[in-house]
Amino acid sequence: MAGPLTALRERFTPDSEQTPRDTRPPSRQRGAKRHGRPKRTGIRRFFTWRKLIAYVACLCALLIGAFTVLYYSIDVPKANAQAKAQSNVYKYSDGTILARTGEINREMVTLDRIPTGVQHAFVAAENKSFYKDRGVDPMGLLRGLVNTVAGKGTQGGSTITQQYVKNYYLSQEQTASRKIKELVISLKVDQRNSKEDILAGYLNTSFFGRVAYGIQAAARAYYDKDVDDLTVEEGAYLAALVQAPSQYDWAVASPKAKRLVTRRWNYVLDNMVDVHWLDPAQRKHMRFPVPVDPEPAPGLDGQTGYLVDAARNELIASGVSEQELAAGGWTITLNVDPAKQRALEKTMRQGLDGSAKGKPRADGSAEKKQARADAAATQGGAVSLDPKNGRILALYGGRDYTRHYLSNATRGDYQVGSAFQPVTEAASMDAKMRNGPDAGGLPEIKRTARALGMDTDRGFGTKESVGLGLMGSSPLKMAGVYASFNHQGKRVTPSIVKSARRGDETAGLPKAVGDQAIAPAAAELVTRSLITDGGKDAVRAVKRPAAGKGGVSDDKRAAWYVGYTPDLVTAVALFGEDAEKRKQIPLKNASAQRVADLWTDYTAQALRNVPAVWFDSGSGAGAIPNPTQMAPTGR
């Protein structure tokens, strides 16, 4: 009996010299491995699944608490009345005033005046769930906040209620705090106001371009009618337009922009069919309603409107919203030099009237009548810039902004013809320098054209189209391309805005001189080629180093000359256009020499008091010819 009793006592009596045995199963003993994994140590012990769930729950509670505080602390403000809007002041580079703009054009209308189909077009375009949602789209808001923090602007996701709140109560600034206010106020507005009131407010405060605020002003500006008379097709265009008024305005839209707005117009109508607001059979027979030409604002006649539009478009591209500009208060200084601007206007005016050098005046009455008819069917555009910094020193957009709204300096719908050949040469030289003597081809030409700043959507499909220069471009872009040749192959993007300020706010402008587009040696070889090919006559005319290329497009609708000295790059183009239908037609007197004469006349005036300098040569491409060895002293 002693043995079993002793064993029991030893089992239940504490022993200070012996650690008690852990009688739990091995898998549950302290310090034992769990499922074959070691005990968590260091920072890992803070990230178990249970703790992660707890962290998320705490974060959600904090966010809910913060939002609750914001919800009760942010009140619906008074309207941000555009009545406080000021004029924008545009100045030349020397500080003299070019123009004042920024008047608000708006006429408020009640919702019952807006046809139901037009109302539905806007809802289909911007916010199909408008009649069901609570004024906000959480996922869209999150996307907008992320884009704003990332510096990508306010992109996508805003409901009609949010857009109305932004237009009516808040500013157009692109900040996270403004987005948060927009969210809170949108929730409150949706609770307090009916959907009909919100939609009416949205339609009356949206900006449509052409200085038009609200659907009534837009109906007048784009279709010359009251809002009551708008068709569904016209309403769908205005609904598509709101996304990008300057880009989608049919009167000035590029071919690419016209395709984009037409696609969005179809998207709006298709959405209306999807939600049963439009009969499929009716939709099938709808055609795009081309809007009327705009009536420019007073004070923008002559070249003023073209300069203002070029500056506006550049600021919008750099991130200033169209509504911010329309609200006014900006002082915008241009790079344009008044003396060079006057010289370019004088040259182009004389050239279009048939009185440039090399073009005799018509003496007989029949000849005069024919000359006037030919002149009316000819449009001209030109851009002149400093190749060292890309600053636009002069720009000619057409005969008169009030009579020809579309700027011939920036339009890109005419073929460039043989003016594209230097790009092909540059692509070939650059490819061979990088990849060997057998490199080149269409992909390389397209890559080089894009790197130099050209649009490459069309005209690059075959060797024939590239060889004939069937791609479209503008004097603005071609001036940038040739400036890149003149700037050791670095991409030069023409820039017209020197500065833009509103109070303490300064618009951020992109650098005009960018990355290396082609090798410096390739750029110098192109310049040497252009001195030999198209620059000899120019050298004689301006009595200084000059390089250039001109020609007539394959369809005879455009004639070009793009030339440069070390100081100045100028692209000049003449376009054939039916004065009434605004359609392209073959040029009368389509001559490359005619355009080259305009270039030399302007360049001689612009550089009259500027000492001649030689092209730089430092890349090993060989010495660039001295013009005194090529040209006589006079013309």
Side-chain angles (χ1 to χ4, degrees), residues 216-284:
Q216 167 64 7
R220 277 288 175 195
Y222 288 91
Y223 292 106
D224 195 24
K225 60 174 65 173
D226 288 323
V227 65
D228 317 63
D229 301 321
L230 285 176
T231 65
V232 172
E233 295 95 319
E234 293 165 346
Y237 170 72
L238 295 179
L241 182 72
V242 169
Q243 189 180 65
S246 290
Q247 182 184 1
Y248 289 167
D249 184 341
W250 196 263
V252 296
S254 66
K256 180 179 180 180
K258 286 183 177 179
R259 293 195 299 273
L260 289 174
V261 72
T262 303
R263 186 184 308 164
R264 183 158 177 80
W265 177 79
N266 282 302
Y267 163 83
V268 172
L269 295 176
D270 291 343
N271 275 358
M272 292 179 70
V273 173
D274 289 343
V275 291
H276 308 295
W277 290 334
L278 182 62
D279 181 77
Q282 183 184 1
R283 162 71 182 96
K284 186 177 179 180

Side-chain angles (χ1 to χ4, degrees), residues 339-353:
K340 289 182 174 60
Q341 180 66 28
R342 287 193 296 270
L344 186 60
E345 290 181 26
K346 178 182 176 182
T347 298
M348 295 300 293
R349 184 169 58 249
Q350 291 177 341
L352 289 170
D353 290 341

Side-chain angles (χ1 to χ4, degrees), residues 31 43 45 53 78 202 246 250 252 265 280 289 319 324 345-346 404 419 459 465 473 481 484 532 574 599 619-620 635:
I43 195 170
R45 55 186 171 158
I53 293 172
K78 294 182 179 179
Y202 167 73
S246 290
W250 196 263
V252 296
W265 177 79
E324 283 184 286
E345 290 181 26
K346 178 182 176 182
H404 191 271
S465 63
S473 194
V481 169
S484 301
T532 304
L574 297 180
W599 182 89
S619 66
R635 187 182 178 191

